[in-house]
Each structure stands twice: as structure tokens, then as C-alpha cells.
Amino acid sequence: MALIVMKFGGSSVANAERVMNVARIVTDSYAEGNDVVVVVSAQGDTTDDLIEKAREINPNANKRELDMLMTAGEQISISLLSMAIEKLGYKATSLLGWQAGFNTNSVHGSARIKKIDTSRIKQELAKKNIVVVAGFQGLNKYDDLTTLGRGGSDTSAVAIAAAMHADRCKIYTDVDGVYTADPRKVKRAIKLNEITYDEMLELATLGAQVLNNRSVEMAKKYNVVIEVLSSLERLPGTLVKESVKMEKMLVRGVTADKNVARISIIGVPNIPGIAFKIFGKLAAKNINVDIILQSVGRNDTKDITFTISSDKSNEALEVLKELDFLEGRPIECDDQNVAKVSVVGAGMETHPGVAAKMFEALFEADINIQMISTSEIKISVLIDKKDADAAVTAVHDAFMPEDN
Ligand code: ADP
Ligand code: ASP
Ligand code: MG
């Protein structure tokens, strides 16, 4: 008998028919003799709708209250799925995050899991129940509800698989695996049979929504093999693991991240310590800075431009306002019109010319590059948001073989 952890995202449980479909997948696995723990997200666009409801009332709502609201979405899904399983003649128990033992830190809206006390899940499995757990949520040390950040149900599933040493961790979604680009946007995207944790982590961090990046980080840390597969078609998916068979592919994927803001500070003093003070202050507020560009100093001043996630732009501007040496210096923020397009692949470390090929593809598509950043296994460019989809297709098709 094996222990299987399954996770179903919002589109997989969007309506009654889809919930019944999930119940059939779950009960088929149980009927084969497995212990099954299922993690589910909120139905369809429920989380977005809840956020919108809050915004209508108070755009600056307290993050504790936002978490209280958002956790409601998953509560609906777990109860409905348990009822569907019962209808098929099997026993199920639904558990909210805290009942399933999820302890998190107190960063409302992007809490990190500290520990899972799996005793209740184990008790329920011992009673031969299928256990249905609300993803994306936990409880902090003050007994307040927390959420793990958008897409966080993937992390809930991997965390249970790690804590319980599950035999399989299957993440079911609305596409049948991880592709070389978003298969809904890029016609020639190729499905990958396998991908390494490191490459998947880059893809997820750079905008490939199919897995949440923290879930991949956790899978790597605890060596949980993830299978990404479709809830709508019964096909083999993509395995995410430590190492994969060498494939000829130089580039593993191309992504677009449209939640990007570019902030420029014009004419800061050209003296030591300025970058330290700016980025130190942003880091202290948990604001992750991505691409940084500093101009060569001229007339005792220099310009600093950097990118952050667009949902942090207001917070970042507040932080910058507190720095007295920036008083009176123009600060420009564009959180509407920029996007970051990236290519990822472990093979590029040993291959010259990947950057040039990417830039050529963008040039041929008549797309202007605003900023560039590179690491061993990725190259990112900041471009106009309206060009993002065209850029992904152009760059993807430049790297991928045509006969696929
Ligand atoms: P779920 O609701 O199941 O969590 P998500 O919407 O979070 O699903 O993620 C699945 C979506 O990710 C797909 O519908 C697809 O459009 C998108 N996606 C983006 N990049 C990729 C990629 N490289 N491979 C597969 N899917 C991708
Ligand atoms: N329902 C949450 C969200 O929409 C969590 C998830 O889908 O994983 O972000
Ligand atoms: Mg998701």
C-alpha cells in the first residue's frame, strides 16, 4: 500500500462536474489500495473574486483580515469534494489547514510553513478515510489564520508529501505537464517528460505559473519527486526531480512575468553606501529586488533603476520616501507597462551565444530591450508589456526544434 498525495488547482474543481471528476480520480487511486491525501485550491477564480470584494470595501485592508477572507475559498472546495467522494460510496474527511497541522510564521499573505503536525491526518487515514485538506492556509503562533501566497496550494501538497514521506506527489492541473513555454500562448511549446528542480525553480520564479516556486524549493530540499499532470485527461505528466536524463535541449523553457514594476531614482549622490542604504531598506521590508542597473556617475550623481514585483510597488515607494538623501530626487515608477521575458536552461552555462540568439530573436520581432540580467542558467530581459507574448513566442521558436 502506498501513500499518495494529490493536489487539484482551482480550474480542476471549478464547478460541480469538475468536482465529481476529481472525486473519481481520487477514489480510483483509493480503490487500488492506496492511502490518499488530497489538497485542493479554491474553485475557479474564487480567490481573485474575494480579493476584489475586499478591495471594493477597503483597498488598504489589514493583511490579517485579507487572510481570514481568502482562506474561505479553500473551505468551500474541501467540503464539496468530500461530499462528492461520499456520493461515490467512499469515506472522506475534510480538514482546514490548521486541522491538518499546518503551523506557519506570521507573514500574512505570504506565510512560510514552519512545521506540520501530521497526527490528525494519520488518525483519519487509519480510519480508512480519504483526507481532503485545504491548501494555501495555516495557523500562526497567535492562532491567526495565514495564507502562503498566490499559488500556495502546490506548496501545501509538497509539504504534506515531505512530512509524511509519501510515495507520490501528484499535482493535477489544467494542462498535461510542464512545457517549454505556456502551452496556451505558444503553439510550438513542447511537453517535457522530466525537468530538474533547479530548472523548474527558475521557470516558476520567472513566471511559469504551472508550479509555485516555493513548492519546488521545498521539493528540492526534501527530495520529493513531483509529477505534474492533467486532471482532465489521463496522460503521463512531467516529473520534477533532482537529475534527469541528458536531453539535447539547450534551453528548457521561456517565460513571461507580467507582474513587474520598474523603479528609477534619478540623480542620487555618486558616493559610497547609496546602493547599500536603498537595497538594505527594501530588503528589511521583505521587498525582493530583481534586475538592478546603475548608470556611470556624471557630475557627482548617478541613476539607479531596479525591478520588483508590481504588487510591492506602493510599499517600495513608501520605503524610498523615508530615505533623506533621496529627498527632492525624481523617482519614476512604472508598474503597468513592463514585463520580464526569460530563457532558462542548465545547458547554457557551457554554451556561448545563447544571449546573442535571444537578442537576435527580439530584434527580428522588432522588440526593444530596456534592461538585461543573466545568471548561470537564465537570461532575462525587461521589455514593454504589450510585446510580452510576441517576445515569448519569438524567443521560444528561435531555440526550439521546428519538427516538434
Ligand atoms: P492550478 O489552478 O491548477 O494551480 P495554474 O493556473 O496555477 O493551475 O497553472 C496552470 C497554468 O500554468 C496553465 O493553464 C498554463 O497556462 C500555465 N503555464 C505557464 N507556463 C507554463 C509552462 N511552462 N508549462 C505548463 N503550463 C504553464
Ligand atoms: N487559491 C489560491 C490562489 O488562487 C491558492 C492556489 O490556487 O494555489 O492563489
Ligand atoms: Mg496554481
Side-chain angles (χ1 to χ4, degrees), residues 277-291:
K277 286 177 190 152
I278 292 174
F279 297 113
K281 195 98 186 177
L282 290 166
K285 293 278 175 180
N286 269 321
I287 299 173
N288 231 347
V289 175
D290 185 26
I291 311 176

Side-chain angles (χ1 to χ4, degrees), residues 87-263:
K87 187 171 171 190
L88 296 179
Y90 295 84
K91 290 196 303 173
T93 311
S94 59
L95 298 175
L96 290 167
W98 68 268
Q99 294 173 301
F102 276 81
N103 291 300
T104 72
N105 68 12
S106 290
V107 185
H108 284 290
S110 56
R112 282 191 180 261
I113 299 166
K114 285 170 66 178
K115 199 181 115 223
I116 307 180
D117 173 355
T118 55
S119 50
R120 178 73 188 272
I121 296 181
K122 286 183 182 144
Q123 277 169 31
E124 299 300 335
L125 290 174
K127 287 190 240 160
K128 293 287 152 212
N129 284 323
I130 294 170
V131 183
V132 184
V133 178
F136 173 62
Q137 54 176 256
L139 197 70
N140 68 15
K141 64 178 178 196
Y142 308 109
D143 283 350
D144 283 326
L145 295 176
T146 54
T147 62
L148 308 179
R150 298 307 306 271
S153 298
D154 298 334
T155 314
S156 310
V158 173
I160 293 178
M164 300 192 65
H165 307 286
D167 298 283
R168 303 296 291 273
C169 179
K170 299 175 136 206
I171 309 258
Y172 288 86
T173 182
D174 57 357
V175 288
D176 61 358
V178 178
Y179 280 71
T180 50
D182 186 339
R184 297 185 188 286
K185 303 233 166 93
V186 176
K187 267 208 245 87
R188 273 172 51 192
I190 302 164
K191 183 165 143 188
L192 300 167
N193 294 325
E194 302 182 317
I195 184 167
T196 64
Y197 292 128
D198 290 336
E199 289 173 315
M200 190 64 233
L201 187 56
E202 287 285 358
L203 287 180
T205 306
L206 295 168
Q209 197 191 340
V210 62
L211 280 180
N212 173 282
N213 60 351
R214 281 192 185 168
S215 73
V216 184
E217 213 170 63
M218 186 171 295
K220 179 177 160 75
K221 186 166 171 193
Y222 296 101
N223 210 11
V224 174
V225 175
I226 301 177
E227 183 177 4
V228 177
L229 69 175
S230 167
S231 65
L232 305 168
E233 291 169 289
R234 299 206 182 187
L235 291 170
T238 301
L239 294 177
V240 186
K241 52 214 264 277
E242 184 57 42
S243 61
V244 303
K245 279 184 236 96
M246 285 302 283
E247 281 181 46
K248 270 201 293 205
M249 232 177 249
L250 173 62
V251 159
R252 199 59 97 162
V254 183
T255 59
D257 182 355
K258 296 179 184 172
N259 292 319
V260 182
R262 186 195 58 223
I263 296 183

